[in-house]
Amino acid sequence: MTRWLLIALAALGAAAAPAAAETPLKAVVELFTSQGCSSCPPADARLAELARRPDVVALTLPVDYWDYLGWKDTLARPEFSARQRAYSHGRGDRAVFTPQMVVNGALACIGSDGGAVDRTLDQAAGEGSALPVQVRARLEGGSVRIEIEGSEATPSGVWLLPVLRSRDVAIGRGENRGRAVTYVNVVRGVLRVGEWSGGSMKLDAALPPGEEADAYVVLVQAMRGTKPARILGAAKVGAF
């Protein structure tokens, strides 16, 4: 009787125990890469390592401006190339290349240089460029329920990004001819679903119809006119 009582009490205690706290997100890392770039596979592998960190949102955004080199990137979208150029204009350095990582929309580095990536992540945290706005999100039917809380008063956009967790690509021509590369957390769109300018906010964002995705990312991102600037908050939704 005593043994069964102890088991019951242990089960009751486990049920009553609070759920483990979610790991706060520290950084959003966007890798601008291309299947036609021979320098990119090491950066793609580095992003896959970052994707395993619970405190990082690691995203692959394939660009199309190397398609003329003999291989058309099968995952590239012109809006990703435009996003990278917009970041460079905001920084004032006009540096657009692959592989390039942009951290929190504010700092850039060579994506294949592991030391530079680590220093940039440290710099983002040390300079207060970490993510000050709290974002929570969850799937509810055919939409994402988004909750935002923060004291920032910067007019910002709320964005929904459909993501493919993994995609294997056999590259047939160009600089990476004969290579098979696995891309992780491949973004399939950057969709503006709302506006935020401080305080508490809730909104429902409809999932984009016809867009293949395994998961979603929500970004709260300051805007410089029509161009993206610093990322203030983020949330992962789905099977990351």
Side-chain angles (χ1 to χ4, degrees):
M1 178 67 71
T2 302
R3 175 172 174 267
W4 290 111
L5 179 60
L6 290 173
I7 292 173
L9 288 172
L12 181 61
E22 293 183 4
T23 302
L25 293 177
K26 296 180 179 178
V28 177
V29 178
E30 299 174 71
L31 172 63
F32 295 94
T33 185
S34 173
Q35 296 167 17
C37 162
S38 61
S39 302
C40 285
D44 301 320
R46 177 61 172 149
L47 188 90
E49 294 175 2
L50 291 175
R52 292 194 286 270
R53 287 180 47 172
D55 62 340
V56 172
V57 179
L59 300 171
T60 297
L61 291 95
V63 297
D64 63 351
Y65 49 78
W66 296 130
D67 284 358
Y68 73 92
L69 293 179
W71 176 254
K72 183 177 175 61
D73 192 300
T74 60
L75 299 171
R77 295 201 172 179
E79 55 263 40
F80 301 158
S81 302
R83 183 173 177 86
Q84 186 185 21
R85 293 189 183 99
Y87 277 146
S88 73
H89 281 264
R91 294 191 308 269
D93 57 25
R94 304 298 177 94
V96 176
F97 59 86
T98 55
Q100 184 180 57
M101 286 187 183
V102 175
V103 178
N104 292 350
L107 303 169
C109 64
I110 299 172
S112 55
D113 184 336
V117 172
D118 291 340
R119 288 191 297 273
T120 303
L121 288 168
D122 290 342
Q123 183 183 356
E127 290 185 353
S129 296
L131 306 174
V133 173
Q134 187 176 63
V135 184
R136 293 189 178 92
R138 64 183 184 273
L139 287 171
E140 287 193 355
S143 65
V144 177
R145 167 62 61 90
I146 302 168
E147 300 179 6
I148 305 170
E149 178 73 39
S151 58
E152 293 268 345
T154 305
S156 305
V158 183
W159 303 83
L160 182 65
L161 283 61
V163 175
L164 289 174
R165 281 297 313 280
S166 180
R167 180 57 56 92
D168 298 325
V169 178
I171 301 172
R173 296 186 301 279
E175 293 185 354
N176 288 315
R177 180 178 64 254
R179 299 188 71 156
V181 181
T182 299
Y183 298 92
V184 302
N185 293 354
V186 183
V187 177
R188 303 313 297 144
V190 183
L191 313 171
R192 193 166 187 158
V193 295
E195 315 295 327
W196 180 81
S197 57
S200 300
M201 176 180 172
K202 295 181 180 180
L203 66 94
D204 291 322
L207 299 180
E211 191 66 75
E212 183 183 6
D214 304 311
Y216 297 86
V217 166
V218 176
L219 298 180
V220 175
Q221 185 162 23
M223 301 299 292
R224 188 181 296 105
T226 60
K227 300 183 185 303
R230 180 185 168 199
I231 293 173
L232 302 176
K236 304 176 185 179
V237 186
F240 275 99

